[in-house]
Amino acid sequence: MPYEFYEKDLIQFLINTSQSQIDELIEDIHPADILDAIHAYEGDKKLLLQKLPEWVIAAIIDYAEDEEKYEILSIFPEKRQKDIVEEMSSDELVDLLGSIPKEQADDIIVKLDLEEAEEVRELLTYKPDTAGGIMATEFICVQDTMSVGETLKYLQKEAPDAETAYYIYVLGEHDDLKGVVSLRDIVVSNFDVKIGDIMNENVISIPVDMDQEEVGHIFEKYSFLTMPVVNERDEMLGIVTVDDIMAVLSDEHTEDMYRLAGLQEGEKVTGSIGESVKSRLPWLFVNLITAILAAATVSLFEDTISKVVALATFMPIVAGMGGNAGTQTLTLIVRGIALGELTFENAKKVLFKEFGVGISNGFAIGLAVATLGYLWERKPIFGLVIGLAMFLNLIAATTAGFLVPVTLRRFKIDPALASAVFVTTVTDVLGFFFFLGLATLFISYLL
Amino acid sequence: MPYEFYEKDLIQFLINTSQSQIDELIEDIHPADILDAIHAYEGDKKLLLQKLPEWVIAAIIDYAEDEEKYEILSIFPEKRQKDIVEEMSSDELVDLLGSIPKEQADDIIVKLDLEEAEEVRELLTYKPDTAGGIMATEFICVQDTMSVGETLKYLQKEAPDAETAYYIYVLGEHDDLKGVVSLRDIVVSNFDVKIGDIMNENVISIPVDMDQEEVGHIFEKYSFLTMPVVNERDEMLGIVTVDDIMAVLSDEHTEDMYRLAGLQEGEKVTGSIGESVKSRLPWLFVNLITAILAAATVSLFEDTISKVVALATFMPIVAGMGGNAGTQTLTLIVRGIALGELTFENAKKVLFKEFGVGISNGFAIGLAVATLGYLWERKPIFGLVIGLAMFLNLIAATTAGFLVPVTLRRFKIDPALASAVFVTTVTDVLGFFFFLGLATLFISYLL
């Protein structure tokens, strides 16, 4: 089925099909597509939603953006809301509850049965951006003494409620994680084989307080579909699944890019002017302070500029090239930190490399700019001044591009967060200082 | 098992354990960890590798970076190389072959059995960055007339060779894709149920020539673990798995960040100075041209600057703030395009929003800078000139930050690729033009 032509057909199907037929056919339609169809439908969306069975609505709420989750749920009467939330898995519930004010969240928790309410309350105690905050508690576990046949029978009963049934965890007496066995291993084994004989005892697990970005890197490293989450006593608490991890990694990517540019996390392409101003104006004011520092540097040399006004013409080149070279190194380092490629062990080597890159690129660009300056002003010393300033500024740029994010990280600040403004300040202030300072030094040759 | 303490133990295990014990125990150790241990081992890495069974070496090669894949394979004698490549799945082989020169690749293809060689040759005809280029051909398919019991028996024979056994595809007479059934659905069904009765006929498939980034977005949308790849006749050709997609999305994200900053794809934090210079210097030269444009704009107004040298002092503020505001919009738009949030339908609305953001932020920053200019120079008209220039430049910045990437995309150029340089050129040139032009206009009030 070519997925592009799907939306319109689906709207027609939802409108024209009787309740009983929908119940029968809806199982084969992906909830993400139903949500798309509801978004695209220009009539009363409630009419479409009300025709859907509870488990589909629960799935749609899971696929919906944070801000519309509760909106969808709240169109249903109390009784049906209860049925819908009962269809949601623990991590889906936590996502929903995390997206709404506390009173509304409490209203929903009251609708759950006691055991589930208890579980959700406990999940809510974990920080949202840790393994505990994204895990689900619906996993399948067995004992190592069970046979494959017994396990299959157990699965027929339990699998429908589990978040994923592709890995089955083997727990000891105290819920301690002893091993894992894949559904595939079970399917290819004889019925009388014991789980203990086919399980992998070397389970790689995730501590419950691990940052979600780090969890993402572990998934990337091992290509797992699901990983178990444990506490400090190695008791299994839940599972994290790869689809949640893909969302986490995508969000972390967006965050890195946004922070480098001075946008706030929540900003959306489709947001309002007010939201965008709120997201960006603070950063522009921070940048204004650094721009004033650059301006103050220039103002020290107003006397020199008034004598050789061509210096003003070349100022944008010094600042612009320094900023670009700094941004190159900065981006490489921020991404290198995010991917775990920059470590304590190789940091020194990378710093030397960046210094070397600054010298090499500084030499090439310095030479080009010196030639340009000479041709423009017809004074060799003018070429020398701008070329040398460029050379020094490119070294400063690559060095700052390394040192700023690495230092921020050392102080446990996200290296993407404030790096750009620091690096640009360094390249602007130092660039103007080198350029106009050298010009002041050689002023008699420039007149 | 806390994964941090793993490496050293693993090296000791590989060194001290006898061949036969390794064969028995290695199954429970993840190949990604074995690769890490080999990287960390300071002695002769060959000694560790030679102790491993072929299927583990094949898996290690798959987890290795492109440039070391062939290096690992080539330490083994011819005969063993043949055994290793026989253990590799089709997409792993294609990755390996894509990472080495053609003659070496042909050498390896010769080692495959005829059928596999044929399959790999066909896979190599697809572009590497399309669904065809990343798919594997080892999938499990059955007919809809088979029962669950028959399918389970078939799985016991076939599953060990399959890339993933969690989805089983149902094909018609001409290999056309009729449905899909999950291993979970099979496990929870009675043995005599027909596959046709439990399969989902509404399979969402991927066209073989679809760009891998788009494939990534489809995986993100649906949370699938595996998706089938079909040709234009809906014949099933292969599967794409979520672990490959995670790698694709991570690479595409690095590419976006790199391109915005002017780094080339292959550059690594740990690369050499030469590689970095090659990656960055071309971009710096492109930027030099745009910096020269900015300088040329300033040079038009040298006469004005020589009369009011404080203008030179405020130049970095105009250029810097314009650049920052432009980068904010640019980053939002590039990410919005990558995430599919910016569409043809909402583009106009977003442009108006960005224009509005430019007016709002331009007003706020313009007012602040006007005040600053007045306080600095003690001339109201100086404040007016810099404030108005700032206001106009911030509107130009958000507008260019939208128009540049959207236009590039229209011409099918990656919006991240050249956007930054265009946007900065616009903000620099227009910023200086507004500022120095207004100053020239009001020059008699500024003296």
Side-chain angles (χ1 to χ4, degrees):
Chain A
M1 153 118 20
Y3 78 108
E4 300 93 349
F5 303 114
Y6 209 14
E7 219 162 68
K8 280 177 216 151
D9 296 346
L10 200 49
I11 295 176
Q12 286 311 312
F13 166 80
L14 290 174
I15 294 173
N16 299 330
T17 314
S18 73
Q19 186 73 51
S20 59
Q21 272 183 300
I22 283 187
D23 284 353
E24 192 182 320
L25 293 168
I26 200 89
E27 205 173 321
D28 285 357
I29 303 174
H30 198 286
D33 284 324
I34 303 176
L35 179 65
D36 275 357
I38 290 168
H39 283 157
Y41 182 55
E42 287 167 5
D44 187 355
K45 295 176 202 294
K46 279 186 203 176
L47 290 181
L48 297 192
L49 277 165
Q50 275 158 351
K51 281 182 133 177
L52 301 171
E54 282 80 18
W55 71 267
V56 173
I57 299 166
I60 287 176
I61 290 176
D62 186 43
Y63 280 97
E65 296 286 329
D66 272 2
E67 51 274 21
E68 58 176 343
K69 283 178 191 291
Y70 187 69
E71 203 184 306
I72 296 174
L73 182 67
S74 57
I75 71 162
F76 296 98
E78 280 289 309
K79 167 74 189 70
R80 212 154 168 225
Q81 283 191 26
K82 190 170 152 45
D83 296 340
I84 293 167
V85 294
E86 266 172 15
E87 293 284 349
M88 297 177 82
S89 67
S90 57
D91 60 331
E92 291 170 359
L93 270 169
V94 167
D95 280 352
L96 168 66
L97 297 173
S99 70
I100 53 177
K102 202 183 166 308
E103 302 89 77
Q104 289 175 351
D106 288 339
D107 266 5
I108 292 178
I109 294 180
V110 173
K111 296 189 180 93
L112 302 172
D113 65 49
L114 275 180
E115 193 190 346
E116 178 113 46
E118 180 69 21
E119 242 170 46
V120 165
R121 276 212 188 85
E122 198 176 318
L123 280 178
L124 284 169
T125 63
Y126 300 110
K127 285 201 200 128
D129 56 355
T130 62
I134 54 173
M135 73 183 180
T137 51
E138 291 84 359
F139 55 88
I140 298 179
C141 52
V142 296
Q143 269 119 44
D144 55 0
T145 48
M146 279 168 75
S147 71
V148 164
E150 286 167 337
T151 305
L152 279 171
K153 263 196 206 118
Y154 179 71
L155 282 179
Q156 302 199 346
K157 210 176 73 199
E158 291 297 323
D161 281 337
E163 177 78 358
T164 166
Y166 299 121
Y167 297 109
I168 291 120
Y169 296 95
V170 186
L171 299 191
E173 265 175 70
H174 306 286
D175 285 349
D176 50 312
L177 186 56
K178 292 176 76 173
V180 64
V181 57
S182 74
L183 187 53
R184 176 175 170 165
D185 292 337
I186 289 180
V187 165
V188 300
S189 299
N190 283 323
F191 283 5
D192 48 359
V193 171
K194 289 272 175 279
I195 291 293
D197 294 332
I198 55 168
M199 75 179 183
N200 180 346
E201 288 176 58
N202 193 12
V203 205
I204 303 171
S205 59
I206 294 172
V208 68
D209 56 356
M210 180 181 271
D211 184 86
Q212 61 176 4
E213 190 169 5
E214 208 180 326
V215 178
H217 292 318
I218 296 180
F219 268 85
E220 287 187 314
K221 175 177 171 184
Y222 293 111
S223 308
F224 285 133
L225 302 177
T226 308
M227 286 186 79
V229 179
V230 296
N231 65 13
E232 66 281 4
R233 288 185 302 281
D234 210 29
E235 288 164 8
M236 183 160 171
L237 303 176
I239 53 170
V240 174
T241 52
V242 67
D243 53 319
D244 296 326
I245 286 303
M246 282 179 80
V248 163
L249 289 172
S250 174
D251 287 351
E252 296 282 346
H253 287 164
T254 303
E255 193 184 281
D256 272 358
M257 279 183 84
Y258 275 23
R259 287 185 166 178
L260 272 177
L263 298 165
Q264 260 150 52
E265 275 167 63
E267 186 168 350
K268 288 234 157 83
V269 164
T270 50
S272 72
I273 293 179
E275 283 160 9
S276 291
V277 170
K278 224 175 104 187
S279 155
R280 302 184 211 173
L281 197 53
W283 179 251
L284 288 176
F285 271 107
V286 172
N287 268 279
L288 183 55
I289 296 168
T290 76
I292 291 171
L293 279 176
T297 311
V298 176
S299 78
L300 297 176
F301 302 98
E302 282 192 357
D303 192 40
T304 309
I305 297 171
S306 72
K307 287 177 192 149
V308 186
V309 77
L311 292 172
T313 293
F314 275 80
M315 276 169 45
I317 297 182
V318 175
M321 298 308 291
N324 283 317
T327 304
Q328 287 182 329
T329 302
L330 176 60
T331 301
L332 186 78
I333 299 297
V334 166
R335 187 69 184 141
I337 290 173
L339 292 176
E341 286 172 5
L342 187 75
T343 57
F344 280 110
E345 289 80 40
N346 67 17
K348 210 165 161 186
K349 214 177 122 198
V350 174
L351 173 59
F352 279 120
K353 186 205 69 180
E354 286 304 321
F355 194 77
V357 174
I359 292 178
S360 312
N361 285 348
F363 186 79
I365 297 291
L367 199 67
V369 175
T371 312
L372 185 77
Y374 168 66
L375 293 175
W376 197 299
E377 285 295 302
R378 293 282 162 198
K379 288 199 183 95
I381 202 84
F382 189 90
L384 186 73
V385 164
I386 176 83
L388 192 57
M390 204 68 261
F391 174 68
L392 293 173
N393 198 22
L394 255 59
I395 297 173
T398 55
T399 311
F402 174 91
L403 287 178
V404 169
V406 169
T407 308
L408 286 172
R409 187 178 154 81
R410 187 126 208 163
F411 288 104
K412 306 224 178 252
I413 302 170
D414 181 345
L417 186 59
S419 290
V421 67
F422 281 123
V423 172
T424 324
T425 308
V426 171
T427 56
D428 276 6
V429 168
L430 286 186
F432 292 138
F433 187 79
F434 293 141
F435 180 44
L436 301 174
L438 284 169
T440 309
L441 219 59
F442 294 106
I443 187 74
S444 54
Y445 304 96
L446 291 171
L447 296 172
Chain B
M1 152 118 19
Y3 76 107
E4 301 93 348
F5 303 113
Y6 209 15
E7 220 162 67
K8 280 178 219 150
D9 296 347
L10 201 48
I11 294 176
Q12 286 311 314
F13 167 78
L14 290 175
I15 294 174
N16 299 329
T17 314
S18 72
Q19 185 72 52
S20 59
Q21 271 182 299
I22 283 187
D23 284 353
E24 194 182 317
L25 294 168
I26 200 90
E27 206 173 320
D28 285 357
I29 303 174
H30 198 286
D33 285 324
I34 303 177
L35 179 64
D36 275 357
I38 289 169
H39 282 157
Y41 182 54
E42 287 168 4
D44 186 356
K45 294 174 202 294
K46 277 186 202 175
L47 290 181
L48 297 190
L49 278 165
Q50 275 159 350
K51 280 180 133 177
L52 302 170
E54 281 79 20
W55 72 267
V56 174
I57 299 167
I60 288 175
I61 291 175
D62 186 42
Y63 280 97
E65 296 286 328
D66 272 2
E67 51 274 20
E68 57 175 345
K69 283 177 191 290
Y70 187 68
E71 202 185 307
I72 296 174
L73 182 66
S74 57
I75 72 161
F76 296 97
E78 281 290 308
K79 168 73 187 72
R80 212 152 169 226
Q81 284 193 25
K82 190 169 151 48
D83 295 339
I84 293 166
V85 294
E86 265 172 15
E87 293 285 348
M88 298 178 82
S89 68
S90 58
D91 60 332
E92 291 172 358
L93 269 169
V94 167
D95 281 351
L96 168 65
L97 297 173
S99 71
I100 52 177
K102 202 184 166 306
E103 302 90 74
Q104 288 175 351
D106 287 340
D107 265 6
I108 292 177
I109 294 181
V110 173
K111 296 191 181 91
L112 302 171
D113 67 49
L114 276 179
E115 195 189 345
E116 178 113 47
E118 180 69 19
E119 242 170 46
V120 166
R121 276 213 188 83
E122 199 174 318
L123 281 178
L124 283 169
T125 63
Y126 300 111
K127 284 199 202 132
D129 56 354
T130 62
I134 53 173
M135 73 185 180
T137 51
E138 290 84 0
F139 56 88
I140 298 179
C141 53
V142 297
Q143 266 119 47
D144 55 1
T145 49
M146 279 168 75
S147 72
V148 164
E150 285 167 339
T151 304
L152 278 171
K153 265 198 206 117
Y154 179 71
L155 282 178
Q156 302 201 345
K157 209 177 72 193
E158 291 297 322
D161 281 338
E163 177 77 357
T164 167
Y166 299 120
Y167 297 109
I168 291 122
Y169 296 96
V170 187
L171 299 192
E173 264 176 72
H174 306 287
D175 285 348
D176 51 310
L177 185 57
K178 292 176 77 174
V180 65
V181 58
S182 73
L183 187 53
R184 176 174 172 165
D185 292 337
I186 290 179
V187 166
V188 300
S189 300
N190 282 322
F191 283 5
D192 50 359
V193 171
K194 288 273 176 279
I195 291 294
D197 293 333
I198 56 169
M199 75 179 184
N200 180 345
E201 289 176 57
N202 194 12
V203 205
I204 302 172
S205 59
I206 294 172
V208 68
D209 56 356
M210 180 180 272
D211 184 86
Q212 61 176 5
E213 190 169 5
E214 209 179 325
V215 177
H217 293 318
I218 296 180
F219 268 85
E220 287 186 315
K221 174 176 171 186
Y222 292 110
S223 309
F224 285 133
L225 302 178
T226 307
M227 286 186 79
V229 178
V230 297
N231 64 13
E232 67 281 2
R233 289 185 301 280
D234 210 26
E235 287 164 8
M236 183 162 172
L237 303 176
I239 52 171
V240 174
T241 51
V242 68
D243 54 319
D244 297 325
I245 287 304
M246 282 178 80
V248 163
L249 289 171
S250 174
D251 286 351
E252 295 282 346
H253 178 69
T254 303
E255 192 183 283
D256 273 358
M257 278 183 85
Y258 274 24
R259 286 184 168 178
L260 274 177
L263 297 166
Q264 261 152 52
E265 274 167 63
E267 187 168 350
K268 289 233 157 85
V269 165
T270 51
S272 71
I273 293 180
E275 283 160 11
S276 291
V277 170
K278 224 174 105 188
S279 155
R280 302 184 210 172
L281 197 53
W283 179 252
L284 288 176
F285 271 107
V286 172
N287 269 279
L288 183 56
I289 296 168
T290 76
I292 292 172
L293 279 176
T297 312
V298 176
S299 77
L300 297 174
F301 301 98
E302 282 193 357
D303 193 41
T304 309
I305 297 171
S306 72
K307 288 177 190 147
V308 188
V309 76
L311 293 172
T313 293
F314 275 79
M315 276 169 45
I317 297 182
V318 176
M321 297 309 289
N324 283 317
T327 304
Q328 286 181 332
T329 303
L330 175 60
T331 301
L332 187 79
I333 299 298
V334 167
R335 188 71 184 143
I337 291 174
L339 292 175
E341 286 172 3
L342 186 76
T343 58
F344 279 110
E345 290 78 40
N346 67 17
K348 210 167 162 183
K349 214 177 122 200
V350 175
L351 173 59
F352 280 120
K353 186 206 68 180
E354 286 303 322
F355 194 76
V357 174
I359 292 178
S360 311
N361 285 347
F363 186 79
I365 296 291
L367 200 66
V369 175
T371 313
L372 184 77
Y374 168 66
L375 293 175
W376 198 298
E377 285 296 300
R378 293 281 163 197
K379 289 199 182 94
I381 202 85
F382 189 91
L384 187 72
V385 164
I386 177 82
L388 193 56
M390 203 70 261
F391 174 69
L392 293 174
N393 199 22
L394 255 59
I395 297 172
T398 54
T399 311
F402 174 90
L403 287 178
V404 169
V406 169
T407 308
L408 286 173
R409 187 178 154 80
R410 188 127 207 159
F411 288 106
K412 307 223 178 252
I413 301 170
D414 180 345
L417 185 58
S419 291
V421 66
F422 281 122
V423 172
T424 324
T425 307
V426 171
T427 56
D428 275 6
V429 169
L430 286 185
F432 291 137
F433 187 78
F434 292 142
F435 180 44
L436 301 173
L438 284 168
T440 308
L441 220 57
F442 295 105
I443 187 75
S444 53
Y445 304 95
L446 291 171
L447 295 174

